[in-house]
Amino acid sequence: MRRAEFAQSSAHAVELLSHAAVHHLAGVTEAGEPVLKTVHGVVVDGWLCFHAAPAGEKTSLLRRPVVVGVEEVVAQVPSYFTDPERACPATTLYRAAQTHGVLEPIDEPTHKARVLQALMEKLQPEGGHRPLTAEDPLYAPAVRGLLIAGLRLDHVTRKDKLAQNKRPAEVLRLVEALWRRGAPGDARAIGFVLAANVQTPTPSFLAAPSGFALHPHPGHGWAEQVVELLRGTYWNDVFTDDDVRRAHEGSAAWVGATDREGRLVASARAVSDGGKHAWVYDVVVAPELRGRGLGRALCGLLLDHPAVRRCRRVWLGTRDAQRLYASFGFVPRSALPPRPYATTEMVLLRGPVG
Ligand SMILES: CC(C)(COP(=O)(O)OP(=O)(O)OC[C@H]1O[C@@H](n2cnc3c(N)ncnc32)[C@H](O)[C@@H]1OP(=O)(O)O)[C@@H](O)C(=O)NCCC(=O)NCCS
């Protein structure tokens, strides 16, 4: 591996180790007993650290070589994606990272408290407690009593299995099959597979106007960017930035377009019950980029998203973009034949009327 590639892969490995909910710690005790434990790890100052009871099994690994691993299943790939009969092509796509080193005890109280506070910030990011410090009498006994151990992140390796061994045409077929299957996580998996295989031709469902890329799943930092994109839109006048952010994060489908710099320039989302109804909301294109086909491409992707595609009815409201939606087959509700019964649309308002 070239130096730059290694540096990048090592940064990715640290990122995966930092974000993993749990870590598997393995080693062999002095008595030759193999030990495998699951710990809540946190990365602090270039060390992967965790806490434990001072008399527990993990102490038998102190000052001994250990390995810590994390993994995340990205998608199960069934054999019939590539072969209608043979079971052999069945596989799992995953992201994994490992680090090797000597497990060291961390004894210095300030350092111990920093690790514990970092663990709280990771596992309880909403706060709701007094910050942990070594001097605080509320925490001093716990800081003294707990074992904090860690290993320096000097030797980290990342192993992602994201179809990098396949030819571009095969990766394309895989991505198309994942999109057609549309199981939970498949839209996200497509993003990982395409990012790991940049030579792959653009799948037709992600065809975008030149200079832009369509994404079937939200990427890093989209929550902040979409709030800016939607600022001032007429239908969001009664909602706060936080409402808008949470609405996007809670949507069954959220698609977007980025420019060459990776900036989110168009976004659309839908909530869905997966069978009967889906509702399209917050379709927006950056003002300076309107009229180039981004809105149309994005709507096409959203309507084809598995969470929306399988719904019998897709709803939306618009003040002036009727022509855009009519081109996909939307009709005004008033154009439908009346139902044999009358219903009253009702709403429970929490916040200002709008
Ligand atoms: C509506 C919007 C998403 C369309 O995106 P876009 O990238 O400009 O649209 P496209 O270039 O893909 O054009 C798609 C078609 O919609 C039409 N269209 C786009 N915006 C329109 C509007 N406001 N009124 C009428 N037609 C519109 C275009 O003329 C084009 O039709 P054509 O192919 O027949 O010429 C974009 O203009 C936007 O962000 N507007 C402000 C936010 C908004 O109103 N969102 C919709 C809420 S329901």
Side-chain angles (χ1 to χ4, degrees):
M1 198 185 289
R2 280 176 290 146
R3 188 184 288 266
E5 278 172 8
F6 177 77
Q8 197 193 29
S9 128
S10 152
H12 282 172
V14 173
E15 186 208 330
L16 206 62
L17 286 163
S18 303
H19 291 117
V22 293
H23 300 72
H24 308 299
L25 163 76
V28 178
T29 66
E30 208 172 349
E33 295 291 329
V35 173
L36 174 63
K37 288 294 202 189
T38 302
V39 296
H40 281 301
V42 67
V43 173
V44 177
D45 301 337
W47 284 62
L48 179 72
C49 306
F50 60 87
H51 69 307
E57 208 179 1
K58 285 163 222 156
T59 50
S60 59
L61 295 177
L62 284 176
R63 299 189 186 81
R64 300 194 57 79
V66 293
V67 54
V68 176
V70 295
E71 68 285 315
E72 177 194 312
V73 170
V74 170
Q76 301 287 359
V77 178
S79 58
Y80 54 79
F81 272 10
T82 40
D83 194 304
E85 290 184 29
R86 227 162 44 91
C88 308
T91 190
T92 301
L93 304 181
Y94 61 82
R95 308 194 310 149
Q98 279 195 354
T99 179
H100 300 249
V102 173
L103 188 64
E104 302 284 358
I106 295 169
D107 296 323
E108 206 273 306
T110 313
H111 195 174
K112 285 174 89 173
R114 214 163 63 242
V115 170
L116 291 170
Q117 174 61 21
L119 266 170
M120 289 303 292
E121 286 168 15
K122 179 177 175 186
L123 300 171
Q124 190 177 304
E126 69 279 19
H129 65 93
R130 210 151 92 189
L132 259 142
T133 61
E135 306 77 46
D136 190 333
L138 185 64
Y139 296 122
V143 171
R144 253 195 324 274
L146 276 171
L147 166 74
I148 307 283
L151 60 163
R152 266 174 72 107
L153 291 173
D154 284 338
H155 304 285
V156 286
T157 48
R158 172 103 178 223
K159 177 153 172 27
D160 289 353
K161 185 162 185 283
L162 294 169
Q164 303 95 320
N165 59 331
K166 293 191 183 297
R167 290 191 292 272
E170 292 171 321
V171 178
L172 177 62
R173 277 201 295 280
L174 168 65
V175 161
E176 286 170 342
L178 287 170
W179 185 245
R180 268 198 312 280
R181 177 173 74 174
D186 280 349
R188 181 168 179 263
I190 288 167
F192 284 133
V193 171
L194 289 175
N197 298 280
V198 291
Q199 305 300 331
T200 312
T202 304
S204 56
F205 63 89
L206 293 179
S210 167
F212 301 96
L214 284 191
H215 306 274
H217 184 81
H220 183 69
W222 279 25
E224 287 68 39
Q225 296 182 66
V226 81
V227 167
E228 290 311 316
L229 264 182
L230 286 165
R231 196 171 299 292
T233 45
Y234 64 85
W235 66 92
N236 277 311
D237 56 344
V238 291
F239 299 113
T240 65
D241 287 359
D242 200 43
D243 294 335
V244 171
R245 195 175 302 119
R246 282 187 289 123
H248 280 77
E249 287 168 347
S251 291
W254 179 8
V255 300
T258 52
D259 64 10
R260 286 190 212 280
E261 281 73 51
R263 192 175 60 110
L264 183 70
V265 294
S267 175
R269 69 181 180 95
V271 294
S272 165
D273 61 22
K276 288 162 56 175
H277 301 278
W279 293 263
V280 169
Y281 291 109
D282 290 325
V283 180
V284 69
V285 173
E288 69 281 11
L289 299 173
R290 288 177 191 165
R292 302 178 186 205
L294 274 171
R296 180 179 295 284
L298 205 58
C299 287
L301 177 62
L302 186 65
L303 296 175
D304 193 28
H305 190 288
V308 180
R309 181 202 303 161
R310 294 170 182 150
C311 288
R312 291 282 297 274
R313 297 206 164 132
V314 183
W315 303 92
L316 61 81
T318 184
R319 190 178 64 184
D320 47 23
Q322 290 84 346
R323 210 173 75 211
L324 169 61
Y325 299 116
S327 68
F328 288 101
F330 281 84
V331 293
R333 191 175 186 175
S334 57
L336 297 178
R339 294 231 180 126
Y341 51 85
T343 56
T344 306
E345 208 177 322
M346 299 177 79
V347 63
L348 171 66
L349 280 180
R350 293 199 173 106
V353 182

